[in-house]
Amino acid sequence: MRRIAFLTAVMSVCGVTALGAQADETGPADQTALTKTFDGAIQPNELRDWLKQLASQPNHVGSPHDKANAEWILAQFKAWGWDAHIEQFEVLYPTPVHESLELVGAKPFKATLQEPPIKGDSSATATQPALPAYLAYQGDGDVKGGLVYVNYGMKEDYDTLERLGVSVKGKIVIVRYGSGWRGLKPKLAYEHGAIGCIIYSDPHDDGYALDAVYPKGPQRPPRGFQRGSVQDMTLYPGDPLTPDTGATKDAKRLKIADAPTILKIPAIPISYADAKVFLSALDGQVAPESWRGSLPITYRVGSGKVLVHLAVKSDWSLKPIYDVIAVMKGAAYPDQWIIRGNHHDGWVFGGSDPLSGQVALLAEAKAIGALVRQGWRPKRTIVYGSWDGEEPGLLGSTEWAETHADELKHKGVLYINSDNNARGFLEVGGSQDLEHFVDAVAAKLTDPETGVSVDLRRRAKLRIDAVLSGAKDKDHQKAVAKMAANPDRDTPIEALGSGSDYAMFLQHLGLPALDVRYGDEGDSGGVYHSRYDTFEHHSRFVDPGFVYDTLLARTIGHMVLAAADADVPVERAADFAEEMAQDVSEIKKIATDKREAAEVQAGLLRDRAFALAADPTKAHGTPDALLAVPQFDFAPLDAAVTRLKTSAQAYDDALAAHGATLSGERLARLQALMLNIDQTLMSDTGLPGRPWYRNLVYAPGTLTGYGAKTLPGVREAIEQQRWADANTYIGLTAGVLNAFSDRLDQATAVLDAP
Ligand SMILES: [Zn+2]
């Protein structure tokens, strides 16, 4: 059996006698009584009713129902005893005025750019209009050019295109969704010289190749398309006009033309019913095997002779967004905040994304209100944020946190996020010094489908994934599986990149953060950001009975209660140290592999192998030479990780020995050192080319968009052939890890003091 006793031992609960619990010195009975009462206050039927109401009309930014939902959510918080208000911001939020996409030539065709209603679905009963096919923050334009297919439109696809001897300069590209974040597709297209970008959903990735399509099954129907933001979030998220400051009414704003996160070329999403017409019109060479999707056509790359006409025009005015902020003041530590958020705006109805997470958040808030009514009070202050404007670019959370940045840096202890929920396995990403904290909660929750603990099930999943899945990062998966198989170790959690409201807290302010969901079964990918992500779809295919949405509320609720009431910090350092050691070894392997690849390629270029191995009757090209990879001096990073391991173990041991009995001035000193320890991982320099990202341990990849890159200053420099940056950031990253160790050593001294 794994040891999980420690966390519960320090979670003694004040005022618990009001709940009639048997309080004893160790405290587990208190916490069990508290979570039991909490769980009893959460009813699946209520979650279902709330989701049905919130998802009854389109609720994108600027829609009447978005505002109505914010007001309704506010009223609930107030009724449940929270001190709540709406905080409003004015953000740049473009909406379509005109858009068209046509195939020009002998067989002209006009894309529909609309999703027809489906009987028995909210898409047929709603009375307010949905946004048409649209990508927020694309660059308006009216362009005509030859069409080229570039698979997923990611960097490696352009490398392949180069070998095929095809250029996209002056062309319009068509790419499919998947493999990396949507916003990178038009960005990379532009960087390669394209003048427009069409993104379609191939049935291979979320349509009939996976399962029956909606309404018969869960997957994407032929006319469904994926809206989304293409704002360049790799630079900074939030309102493009107010980086680093809250988008309040009188905020200083950039000119639209100067905002670096708005793209330069027009882009539009289309359905596979429309895409089939464009793709089957393409001429030129046949697409490589891995580029072929599941449409019944011959996939071709295109010679550029097939012409398309793309026009997008938007209204670029400011629109209001409405964050609902609710506060439950702490009794013992009112200036220490546990923050919990989920957005409430959707692209259309937002059934799964975001309302499945939003109703879990509401259920938690109601249950906490009920506990307070019975006499309990949290030790720390609990702040709930129901964010608006997440979909266009994490607007609500970013603007709120920018407005309150100084206060958050002083008072913020932890941020817990959720977004869309499904069923199956507990999936947690976040700060890896919280692995023990998450484990302690997950070990006590029962998985409804299997009857074992949520933690046991996710351990099994992590181990099986490493064996069965064909993921690219096999070495990383194996390392994760090894950790998950060790019953004496906490279950590992994945690092966070971007893609939901935790980004500002984790990557700009340096608060420890968690992103929590259930998933891998009943996923809503097939209706993601479409008009068919509805109450009906969610309750039929994603979480029938609202069993896992209820479980999500209990899971996060237990985390909130535990973090609010634990006197000693919930972080554990040894797990984090082990993760950092693993990351450094992965980075070294990247350098070795890259060096080898450059040497192999140099030989191929020298011997003209690319040209000799190509079919001379077809166009082909030779890749740009890779730079020779120098030897890096990893010594500072190695030393920092070695020291971190020692300091971490000493801290965890000291906490286990003395944490539970610590009180008064020593407890206050420990809290002062540890509650903001994660902020030591921040650097004022930020990451190369994107100083908004200040966290030197966690960041979204510049070429993944959402996917995390750990120790990003070093890792991405090596991946992207920036050798000078690699050396600089080996030093800077070692510096922040040493600062983290310094803090641990000081905290250990406080714990061990006689
Ligand atoms: Zn979402």
Side-chain angles (χ1 to χ4, degrees), residues 229-284:
S229 175
V230 292
Q231 172 194 96
D232 191 357
M233 270 185 267
T234 62
L235 292 176
Y236 59 86
D239 175 27
L241 303 185
T242 60
D244 255 327
T245 39
T248 51
K249 217 174 179 153
D250 307 317
K252 220 178 135 214
R253 287 180 163 76
L254 297 176
K255 285 200 201 96
I256 290 175
D258 296 337
T261 59
I262 299 172
L263 295 196
K264 306 278 191 290
I265 56 172
I268 204 158
I270 62 172
S271 66
Y272 59 81
D274 279 348
K276 193 179 153 195
V277 181
F278 288 88
L279 288 169
S280 56
L282 281 177
D283 58 353

Side-chain angles (χ1 to χ4, degrees), residues 342-343 345 352-354 390-391 418-420 499-501 528-529:
N342 193 109
H343 69 104
D345 65 302
S352 289
D353 178 10
E390 189 269 358
E391 292 296 1
S418 62
D419 198 321
N420 55 344
S500 195
D501 289 305
Y528 179 63
H529 289 187

